[in-house]
Amino acid sequence: MLVPQLINGLTQGSLYALIAIGFVIIFGTMNLVTFAHGEVYMAGAFVGAFAMSLWHLPWFVALVMGMAAAWVLGFLIEKVAFRPLRTAGHMPPLLITIGLSIILKDLAVVLFGAENRPVPSIYEQTVRLAGVQVSVLQLVILGLAGTLFLVLRLVIQGTKIGRAMRATAQDHEAASAMGVNVNRVFSIAFALASCLGGAAGVMIGIYYNAVYPTMGGTAGLKGFAACIFGGLTSIPGAILGGIIIGVVENLTVQFLASGYRDVVAFLVMVIVLVLRPQGLLGRKLKTV
Amino acid sequence: MKTKMVPMLLTLFTLLLVAAPVAWSAESIHIAVSAPLTGNFAEYGQNWQKAISMAVEWINAAGGIKGRPLEIVYGDSKSDPKDSAALAQKFTSDNRIVAEIGDFSSTASMAAQPIYDRAGMVQLSPTTSHPKWAPGSPWSFGIVGTQAGEGPFMARYAIERLGKKRIAVLHINNDWGIASKEYFVNAATEMGAQVLGVESYFETEKDFTGVLTKLRGLKPELIYVPSFYNEMALISKQREKLGWTDVVVMGPGSLYSPKLLELGGNSVNGLYTSAVFFPNDPRPEVQKFVKGFEAKYKATPNMFAGVAYDAINLMAETIRKVGTDRKAIRDELVKTKNFPGVTGKIAFTERRDVVKDYRHLVVKDGQFTLFDK
Amino acid sequence: MSLLEIQSVSVSFGGLMALKRVSFALEEGEIVGLIGPNGAGKTTLFNCLSAFQPASEGHLRYSGIALETLSPHQVAALGVARTFQTSRIFRRMTVLEHLLVGRHLHQRTGLWAAIARPAWVAREEAEARECGLRTLALFEDRLLPRLHDFADTLSYANRRRLEIARALVAEPRLLLLDEPTAGMNPHESAGIVQLIKKIRDLGITVLLIEHDMKVIMGVSDRIVVLDHGEKIAEGLPEEIRRNEEVLRAYMGRRYGRA
């Protein structure tokens, strides 16, 4: 049962990683933490679920719609909640995102009801790989997450937009003196982060066959944890952090009891952070 | 998209608008309801609220209780023990309130129990089934039956009716789930079955792939899953996706809900469960409730709505007999022997809970059907 | 028409006048020195020009375009580049990356192009890199060997050079240099004088804030003197050297305090 548990953990972890990357992008560009990220993920999940269950669209169309919706939501959150408070320090935007998270969650309860909403199953079959029965859906999710990591790498690495994001994070005045439209960079960063969160939401909805208004809470927490675990500003770190959390959780279920999964996962994180305060792939020097 | 809340809110507003101008000659009789209206159990609390609102509407339309309108004071406990205890303080110190209905989970009900006990107010829970609940205070009543009765019933179903001897258990990790698991495991062991492993999950869990993979390694013939329909649907779908098909799934009556079929789809075919509430029961009181509920909410009521409906009607009936004195209500309630509830006859044992009459069910072609082999 | 016209510009910080009706103009191809005692308003004027600080009144015209209503990145897009008084490098970026950020305005790779990567994206990157290397050549062997070093590993003087390089790759028409030699030894400062002359030879107009009189006198075509937010003198280096009011401003400050 070890190999199937590793695959379970890898699948779970790659979705944590997508959420964690969102925190990294937002923190890495704006030096801010958003607590509404989990709710953006929830919104993306709902759009994907509706696309599949109400409008009977294929899953990849649902995925694109969920990502697009999360993109728009992220864009709006940045415009409405962050931009007016750019010079107000760290606390006010933080509080605003906590408020937004509550508003979005309760709005979802009022609009869609508190109960789980079913998401149609796809790829219900399994395949045997080297003697191990593997769910096709898990392979699809792993493939998608991997593709998104690669696309993100393309965006961030070696292009104007990626450099502008990093420069803005380190000194937004100096960046704007170079002609970087800082507001636009913030918008794109927030929207991009939200879009990845939305993708994770749609995929988790398909994976667990359910979306529900409170789903963003735990997911947001795990993603944030993975982001810190990985080193706060490192995208590979966030991916590694998410996957380690996912795998440790599933191994805990296998060798201890499922009640301990979060305890052990967070314990491992605490130990690593005590030994390596900068996180797995974080830099020793404080950025900015 | 159609939402569940809209009709409910509309009804509430309409009630307010319509009810307000009716000049009641006498003061309202207040009954408190402590229920999870938000939070993880919100939909069960909303089931209650729908059934209770409808029952109160009918009672008041028929002239109330001896000319006095019935009024419900709702409190949102989120089924959290902290909140249910705080609500208990609030309700017991409010002189207008004559009795309380709630809470949803055993944990929340039992946290509030000492407060109702000290204040001397009836605490009638529609769903609390922990065996220690009703005996815990002379003021506590339970009408859903206890796991002490249900656990052995399900064990007999698994072992004697289905002939499964290798059993694993996956239960929700709260007071209800733990008690449910224990009664089942004890009875099953006594009957000669082998319990290979027991796993639990937390209320908020949605990822069951890990724990299912682990249980699968034990190669059980049957997994017994004391849980609610939401998680059961997820467990079934995820089990199917993992390709684990050579196992029988069974769970207690908490699973019996049309929602399980809707959420679980094909994956819940072949699932064994039991029920105390049947919407197609021909008894007139059941049909009146089901038809009324369907007309009002465009949905078939589930067990949670059924027990809440019974709780409010039983309470109203008791008040009709003895008036609004808190003590008199308790003393009359204890004597209940033959109340025709939609979830079966209500007759309190000396422990102030009831022994329910369960049916053997199995899901077949997406429908709950009687298991009659 | 002058390249830059500053017309009666005032800036007040909560009642305190940092600039009082300052006016002067820059012609294309000039090197103009901006001097004055500490707190004279020199950096405030730079911040006005690069739109970090709105002017309370007055007008700023850059080749006829009003700068008052623009954002910093829009001013940069017009061809105005600047350095900062205290080093404002991107510490966690390499020297080369600084130069690529400097090319921001000359690149058009958006989000979609970054994902799709058509062939021109690679060409654009190569072009930016080449331009960066060309610019670094102006600094002889100071920065070129450290192309892939992170900026926070550079010496103080090299950080100042890097800032100038980053501004230069943007191919500005007007370059605002805020104390480029601060913290440098005389030998290094002399190198900056040579560099500024080379920059002018590239056709770039330079407005220079500087405390080092040797640098200012050695490089400026004209000098503008600010004191307490007001322009007290403007003229050729020789004229400024002999200007009584300028001497009083500097001396008065120095001896008046004692």
Side-chain angles (χ1 to χ4, degrees):
Chain A
M1 288 298 128
L2 184 62
V3 176
Q5 288 293 24
L6 284 175
I7 295 171
N8 293 341
L10 210 59
T11 313
Q12 176 75 58
S14 65
L15 295 175
Y16 289 157
L18 279 178
I19 303 167
I21 289 172
F23 283 106
V24 171
I25 294 177
I26 290 172
F27 187 84
T29 313
M30 309 173 75
N31 287 312
L32 285 174
V33 171
T34 165
F35 280 99
H37 196 52
E39 277 59 44
V40 172
Y41 150 96
M42 178 268 292
F46 264 93
V47 170
F50 284 135
M52 288 176 72
S53 61
L54 295 183
W55 309 318
H56 305 288
L57 296 167
W59 66 269
F60 45 88
V61 179
L63 179 67
V64 171
M65 287 175 68
M67 288 171 78
W71 176 285
V72 171
L73 186 60
F75 187 84
L76 290 177
I77 289 176
E78 195 277 330
K79 252 203 162 68
V80 173
F82 281 72
R83 188 159 303 179
L85 293 169
R86 176 129 327 138
T87 50
H90 281 227
M91 267 344 228
L94 197 73
L95 291 178
I96 289 262
T97 59
I98 292 175
L100 265 175
S101 133
I102 296 170
I103 290 170
L104 287 171
K105 195 161 33 195
D106 288 358
L107 197 66
V109 172
V110 172
L111 288 176
F112 312 132
E115 67 261 50
N116 282 356
R117 238 162 215 282
V119 179
S121 290
I122 54 163
Y123 299 115
E124 283 170 303
Q125 56 281 52
T126 54
V127 288
R128 290 203 86 82
L129 288 179
V132 181
Q133 194 176 20
V134 182
S135 152
V136 175
L137 180 63
Q138 289 183 328
L139 296 178
V140 169
I141 289 174
L142 282 172
L144 271 173
T147 310
L148 287 175
F149 297 154
L150 283 178
V151 166
L152 187 70
R153 207 190 133 77
L154 281 177
V155 173
I156 302 281
Q157 292 283 321
T159 60
K160 172 178 164 168
I161 179 86
R163 277 192 301 267
M165 282 164 73
R166 289 168 55 208
T168 301
Q170 295 180 41
D171 188 333
H172 65 87
E173 280 200 342
S176 66
M178 299 296 101
V180 175
N181 184 343
V182 171
N183 280 336
R184 203 176 131 70
V185 167
F186 285 158
S187 281
I188 290 182
F190 214 100
L192 187 65
S194 300
C195 173
L196 293 174
V202 175
M203 286 195 259
I204 214 110
I206 293 172
Y207 188 37
Y208 299 152
N209 297 103
V211 296
Y212 49 100
T214 53
M215 69 191 286
T218 352
L221 188 68
K222 293 270 173 70
F224 186 53
C227 152
I228 294 176
F229 191 34
L232 205 54
T233 51
S234 161
I235 287 175
I239 296 175
L240 195 63
I243 286 175
I244 289 179
I245 292 179
V247 168
V248 168
E249 277 183 14
N250 279 275
L251 292 183
T252 308
V253 171
Q254 180 67 32
F255 296 111
L256 275 166
S258 87
Y260 292 111
R261 62 187 292 171
D262 291 352
V263 180
V264 176
F266 280 94
L267 206 65
V268 167
M269 269 176 44
V270 168
I271 292 170
V272 170
L273 287 177
V274 166
L275 298 176
R276 239 186 108 76
Q278 70 272 36
L280 289 173
L281 301 182
R283 295 175 180 120
K284 245 195 185 107
L285 265 167
K286 256 183 101 177
T287 333
V288 185
Chain B
M1 56 217 88
K2 229 166 141 195
T3 71
K4 302 274 155 63
M5 286 291 286
V6 173
M8 203 180 80
L9 287 173
L10 279 180
T11 335
L12 278 173
F13 285 133
T14 328
L15 266 177
L16 285 173
L17 288 173
V18 173
V22 176
W24 290 95
S25 53
E27 216 185 306
S28 297
I29 296 174
H30 292 82
I31 294 176
V33 172
S34 170
L37 302 178
T38 63
N40 284 328
F41 291 113
E43 60 173 305
Y44 307 116
Q46 289 169 7
N47 280 322
W48 284 18
Q49 207 176 15
K50 285 177 186 169
I52 290 173
S53 307
M54 186 177 77
V56 169
E57 204 180 307
W58 287 353
I59 290 166
N60 287 343
I65 298 173
K66 293 192 173 156
R68 292 176 66 182
L70 188 55
E71 196 176 321
I72 303 295
V73 181
Y74 285 104
D76 178 11
S77 69
K78 305 179 181 70
S79 211
D80 182 319
K82 286 193 299 296
D83 291 298
S84 69
L87 281 172
Q89 296 286 10
K90 188 180 144 200
F91 290 152
T92 51
S93 57
D94 184 339
N95 289 329
R96 299 170 310 156
I97 294 174
V98 300
E100 186 259 5
I101 292 175
D103 198 278
F104 175 72
S105 72
S106 299
T107 314
S109 297
M110 288 162 87
Q113 190 171 38
I115 298 164
Y116 290 106
D117 181 77
R118 272 199 301 277
M121 186 195 276
V122 165
Q123 188 188 10
L124 171 62
S125 172
T127 47
T128 300
S129 58
H130 197 288
K132 296 213 173 98
W133 148 248
S137 155
W139 298 88
S140 301
F141 292 82
I143 60 166
V144 77
T146 67
Q147 297 143 320
E150 194 179 24
F153 174 87
M154 295 311 292
R156 263 196 308 282
Y157 192 4
I159 297 155
E160 291 168 9
R161 296 288 291 266
L162 302 176
K164 304 295 178 194
K165 290 280 162 64
R166 293 171 57 83
I167 295 172
V169 178
L170 174 58
H171 68 91
I172 185 167
N173 199 345
N174 60 18
D175 286 353
W176 175 84
I178 292 167
S180 192
K181 175 256 308 185
E182 261 157 27
Y183 284 101
F184 177 85
V185 168
N186 290 344
T189 319
E190 248 167 60
M191 287 172 210
Q194 200 186 348
V195 177
L196 304 164
V198 174
E199 289 290 326
S200 68
Y201 65 89
F202 288 104
E203 283 158 15
T204 50
E205 191 58 85
K206 306 291 167 182
D207 172 21
F208 300 98
T209 50
V211 75
L212 286 171
T213 305
K214 180 177 185 183
L215 289 175
R216 186 182 189 179
L218 305 172
K219 301 192 168 52
E221 297 172 302
L222 179 141
I223 44 173
Y224 183 69
V225 189
S227 64
F228 298 98
Y229 53 74
N230 266 335
E231 300 100 69
M232 190 67 223
L234 300 186
I235 289 169
S236 298
K237 287 198 155 184
Q238 292 176 27
R239 176 186 57 78
E240 195 172 58
K241 233 172 283 177
L242 291 171
W244 187 16
T245 45
D246 54 343
V247 69
V248 163
V249 184
M250 174 183 275
S254 52
L255 298 176
Y256 174 71
S257 160
K259 276 276 192 176
L260 178 74
L261 307 174
E262 186 194 314
L263 294 170
N266 285 334
S267 70
V268 294
N269 274 335
L271 179 129
Y272 294 88
T273 184
S274 67
V276 290
F277 172 67
F278 254 126
N280 18 7
D281 192 326
R283 282 186 297 139
E285 58 267 27
V286 178
Q287 284 316 304
K288 181 187 173 208
F289 169 60
V290 172
K291 296 263 158 62
F293 196 95
E294 282 175 343
K296 199 169 163 71
Y297 302 115
K298 309 282 175 277
T300 308
N302 58 16
M303 187 267 271
F304 299 102
V307 283
Y309 179 78
D310 280 354
I312 185 68
N313 280 325
L314 173 60
M315 195 67 91
E317 189 56 36
T318 308
I319 296 169
R320 200 186 300 279
K321 279 186 207 150
V322 297
T324 56
D325 180 66
R326 289 177 179 181
K327 177 87 166 60
I329 292 173
R330 191 215 89 95
D331 294 344
E332 181 60 30
L333 210 49
V334 170
K335 294 185 217 150
T336 307
K337 277 287 162 273
N338 241 331
F339 182 81
V342 297
T343 63
K345 201 171 288 175
I346 293 174
F348 287 112
T349 64
E350 42 195 66
R351 298 151 39 99
R352 287 167 311 282
D353 50 26
V354 296
V355 176
K356 287 280 181 190
D357 179 21
Y358 303 95
R359 320 272 156 97
H360 296 94
L361 295 183
V362 60
V363 180
K364 217 181 203 171
D365 303 325
Q367 293 299 323
F368 286 105
T369 55
L370 273 176
F371 177 76
D372 44 12
K373 241 191 283 177
Chain C
M1 186 177 58
S2 305
L3 180 66
L4 182 70
E5 284 172 66
I6 297 165
Q7 298 165 354
S8 192
V9 165
S10 297
V11 171
S12 71
F13 295 114
L16 188 84
M17 295 291 274
L19 285 179
K20 283 182 227 159
R21 292 176 298 281
V22 171
S23 302
F24 64 93
L26 252 67
E27 302 304 324
E28 188 109 42
E30 265 191 312
I31 299 175
V32 174
L34 185 60
I35 62 169
N38 281 326
K42 306 181 299 287
T43 297
T44 305
L45 183 65
F46 265 32
N47 285 343
C48 270
L49 286 170
S50 47
F52 287 116
Q53 170 67 49
S56 315
E57 51 186 85
H59 298 287
L60 299 152
R61 294 269 181 283
Y62 169 81
S63 73
I65 302 161
L67 296 182
E68 301 94 86
T69 55
L70 301 181
S71 315
H73 71 272
Q74 291 169 321
V75 173
L78 291 175
V80 181
R82 71 169 289 184
T83 66
F84 295 85
Q85 186 178 11
T86 50
S87 167
R88 301 282 285 271
I89 50 157
F90 307 123
R91 291 180 1 208
R92 297 307 309 171
M93 282 185 155
T94 64
V95 168
L96 178 62
E97 283 173 322
H98 274 76
L99 302 172
L100 296 176
V101 172
R103 288 300 286 172
H104 187 85
L105 288 164
H106 298 273
Q107 294 191 305
R108 59 191 180 107
T109 307
L111 193 62
W112 296 113
I115 295 172
R117 294 289 169 113
W120 59 260
V121 171
R123 277 204 301 280
E124 191 176 271
E125 284 293 300
E127 183 275 337
R129 195 187 147 93
E130 211 171 291
C131 173
L133 295 179
R134 256 199 326 271
T135 305
L136 283 191
L138 290 174
F139 299 82
E140 286 148 10
D141 58 355
R142 298 292 193 174
L143 291 172
L144 269 175
R146 300 183 174 81
L147 204 53
H148 298 291
D149 290 4
F150 280 104
D152 58 4
T153 65
L154 297 180
S155 70
Y156 187 79
N158 269 340
R159 292 185 191 192
R160 312 280 324 177
R161 292 187 185 102
L162 177 58
E163 252 193 295
I164 299 172
R166 182 179 68 183
L168 279 178
V169 279
E171 296 177 25
R173 268 176 85 191
L174 173 62
L175 179 63
L176 311 175
L177 294 174
D178 198 344
E179 293 193 36
T181 67
M184 288 187 178
N185 64 35
H187 176 67
E188 289 166 337
S189 294
I192 294 292
V193 169
Q194 292 313 308
L195 177 71
I196 294 173
K197 286 182 173 163
K198 275 193 246 172
I199 291 171
R200 191 249 309 271
D201 293 342
L202 292 170
I204 298 168
T205 308
V206 178
L207 181 58
L208 170 72
I209 295 179
E210 194 45 79
H211 277 300
D212 188 330
M213 282 304 146
K214 223 177 193 166
V215 172
I216 274 288
M217 294 298 165
V219 79
S220 304
D221 299 322
R222 281 191 304 130
I223 294 175
V224 173
V225 190
L226 295 183
D227 186 32
H228 293 299
E230 284 179 279
K231 187 176 89 174
I232 56 170
E234 181 179 353
L236 301 172
E238 273 317 301
E239 295 166 9
I240 295 300
R241 209 197 289 276
R242 283 180 274 112
N243 185 305
E244 299 246 327
E245 204 170 343
V246 174
L247 285 173
R248 208 176 307 127
Y250 274 89
M251 299 301 186
R253 189 65 57 93
R254 190 168 298 163
Y255 300 110
R257 213 184 280 153

